Amino acid sequence: MTPPRIVIVHYWLVAMRGGERVLERLLRLYPGADIITHVYDPTAVSDFIASHRIRTTFIQDLPGARRHYQKYLPLMPRALEQMDLSEYDLVISSESGPSKGVIVRPDAFHLCYCHSPMRYLWDHYHQYRASAGPLARAAMSATFPALRQWDVTSAQGVDHIVANSHFIARRIRKSWGRSADVVHPPVDVAMFQKSQTIGDHYLWVGQMTPYKRADLVADAFTRLGLPLLMVGTGELARDIAKRAGPNIRIVERLDYAGLRQAYADCRALIFPAEEDFGIIPVEANAAGRPVIAFGRGGVRDSIVDQVTGLFFDRQETDALIDAVERFERWLPDFESDAAVANAERFAPENFDAGIVRIVSRALYRDPPQSEPVARLFEAAQ
């Protein structure tokens, strides 16, 4: 018997971030799968991803695509539709940029794992447009209405959608008019351990881009005068360095061992962004440390307010300062074992079980007719 052919369509492969960690786990679930992506930089991804057969759309061959791939966004729907997927029985699209718009056989099964509908098309559109230059704003106004229409239309061709958080499931319903199951992304929580000694410093980790709100953290802690370690770099790095007081130490990056130690030693992680899910807070809990987080977005799935961390309700300096002061009063009630137990909900094997369960249930509702997909269905039972 010919084994089922499987392909995973991932938006672009130019870095190792949360989406690429999900891709790695999907490849471990389906080790024979091929990969399709718009742009591929083999030096920027793990050896495990690079070991698979990877096909690219025509975006790969356009000038400067590895660095400026997002400028080719209006061409990506056409690029996806030109990819021939007729050999595949199971198609899994990993969606954050355009990936779900591939054309599949009628008897193939298409599962979309959605990290987020494209933010720049939907609820973050006005933020992205405000920060763009005049030419980019004009291009967005001219092309994005058609891209939104394509985004909604292509979502209707997906057999089943899985969101990485309840926040993203709500965004999917608003943007695409589709319901979605929730399977949280895998976090390698076993790699983190508690420390016997806790420092007096707080910790912020991330890219210094506008929506991560490193500026808010720098301003609040400069006023508080409390020690803070900030780990990250990005387009706002110079501005953050200028506004940071002498109590704030900034490092561009730490190796993995250094980052794990930074989590374990900190008084608390500061997480001021509205994220789709947010792996960093889970890693901090896995290291036995609490999180002070802006209480919107995916963090409401991962942090338990007043058990494994505290929420604040406005992305404002005064609100964060108030949260830190409340945290100092609450800290004696914090139990590190509760944080570790909470993080274990997001272990990779739970992700695996969730995906297999949903594939099984979805195929059971609408049993496939092709023999290879039927064998996938039988294997999932």
Side-chain angles (χ1 to χ4, degrees):
M1 282 189 179
T2 303
R5 294 298 306 274
I6 302 169
V7 64
I8 302 174
V9 188
H10 189 75
Y11 38 97
W12 38 74
L13 289 170
V14 296
M16 286 300 299
R17 301 190 181 101
E20 288 69 43
R21 298 301 178 192
V22 171
L23 173 62
E24 284 188 319
R25 199 69 196 180
L26 289 170
L27 290 169
R28 295 188 189 281
L29 269 178
Y30 303 103
D34 295 337
I35 302 171
I36 289 175
T37 189
H38 288 294
V39 180
Y40 171 44
D41 180 354
T43 68
V45 300
S46 67
D47 292 341
F48 179 68
I49 290 177
S51 70
H52 289 74
R53 181 191 179 206
I54 299 176
R55 298 164 55 195
T56 57
T57 71
F58 69 72
I59 304 297
Q60 175 81 7
D61 301 320
L62 299 178
R66 288 191 185 183
R67 291 189 60 190
H68 304 293
Y69 51 90
Q70 289 178 321
K71 294 182 179 178
Y72 293 116
L73 180 66
L75 300 178
M76 290 182 183
R78 179 177 297 180
L80 287 169
E81 291 168 0
Q82 288 186 5
M83 301 300 291
D84 183 2
L85 273 65
S86 58
E87 65 181 291
Y88 296 106
D89 307 297
L90 173 63
V91 177
I92 302 174
S93 52
S94 171
E95 174 80 3
S96 181
S99 65
K100 70 184 184 309
V102 289
I103 298 172
V104 307
R105 293 197 328 254
D107 61 344
F109 186 78
H110 183 176
L111 174 73
C112 174
Y113 186 87
C114 184
H115 311 277
S116 174
M118 289 180 280
R119 303 177 200 90
Y120 27 86
L121 289 186
W122 298 103
D123 51 322
H124 288 193
Y125 170 72
H126 294 290
Q127 295 165 248
Y128 279 96
R129 192 174 184 279
S131 63
L135 288 178
R137 284 198 298 272
M140 291 169 74
S141 297
T143 61
F144 277 25
L147 281 170
R148 286 191 201 97
Q149 185 175 26
W150 173 86
D151 198 39
V152 174
T153 301
S154 61
Q156 311 315 305
V158 174
D159 291 298
H160 202 85
I161 301 175
V162 179
N164 68 354
S165 69
H166 290 89
F167 174 64
I168 293 305
R170 288 191 293 272
R171 188 182 276 172
I172 287 168
R173 182 174 292 279
K174 280 187 174 292
S175 301
W176 300 344
R178 293 286 305 270
S179 61
D181 287 301
V182 174
V183 175
H184 298 117
V187 183
D188 201 354
V189 294
M191 295 298 294
F192 299 88
Q193 293 183 338
K194 296 193 297 183
S195 175
Q196 297 301 314
T197 58
I198 305 301
D200 63 353
H201 66 280
Y202 289 81
L203 175 68
W204 177 89
V205 178
Q207 288 183 291
M208 292 184 178
T209 55
Y211 88 95
K212 298 284 189 179
R213 297 312 309 266
D215 58 329
L216 172 62
V217 179
D219 289 348
F221 275 82
T222 296
R223 283 175 51 185
L224 283 163
L226 296 172
L228 170 70
L229 171 62
M230 301 187 76
V231 182
T233 188
E235 61 192 275
L236 298 181
R238 186 174 297 179
D239 176 65
I240 300 302
K242 287 180 179 178
R243 66 205 305 164
N247 57 306
I248 298 175
R249 182 165 71 97
I250 300 174
V251 297
E252 289 190 358
R253 59 185 56 84
L254 295 172
D255 61 22
Y256 192 41
L259 182 60
R260 286 183 292 163
Q261 193 64 48
Y263 282 134
D265 290 347
C266 73
R267 194 165 180 82
L269 174 78
I270 309 298
F271 194 74
E274 181 184 304
E275 289 278 13
D276 306 329
F277 174 70
I279 288 175
I280 288 172
V282 177
E283 293 177 336
N285 269 186
R289 301 311 304 151
V291 178
I292 302 173
F294 177 52
R296 287 177 55 185
V299 75
R300 297 196 70 89
D301 283 16
S302 60
I303 299 300
V304 183
D305 192 27
Q306 299 187 66
V307 178
T308 72
L310 290 182
F311 291 151
F312 60 98
D313 61 2
R314 301 185 317 281
Q315 287 178 314
E316 298 173 2
T317 303
D318 288 342
L320 178 52
I321 289 173
D322 174 70
V324 173
E325 291 172 345
R326 285 190 291 115
F327 170 81
E328 288 290 337
R329 297 190 295 271
W330 171 77
L331 184 56
D333 296 328
F334 169 71
E335 295 182 3
S336 60
D337 287 344
V340 174
N342 177 63
E344 288 172 353
R345 295 188 292 134
F346 307 100
E349 54 267 26
N350 293 332
F351 171 83
D352 297 349
I355 293 295
V356 170
R357 182 183 68 252
I358 285 172
V359 168
S360 172
R361 192 178 69 203
L363 291 178
Y364 182 76
R365 284 198 198 120
D366 186 17
Q369 299 304 311
S370 75
E371 182 182 340
V373 182
R375 288 200 298 277
L376 273 174
F377 165 65
E378 292 165 2
Q381 296 306 296

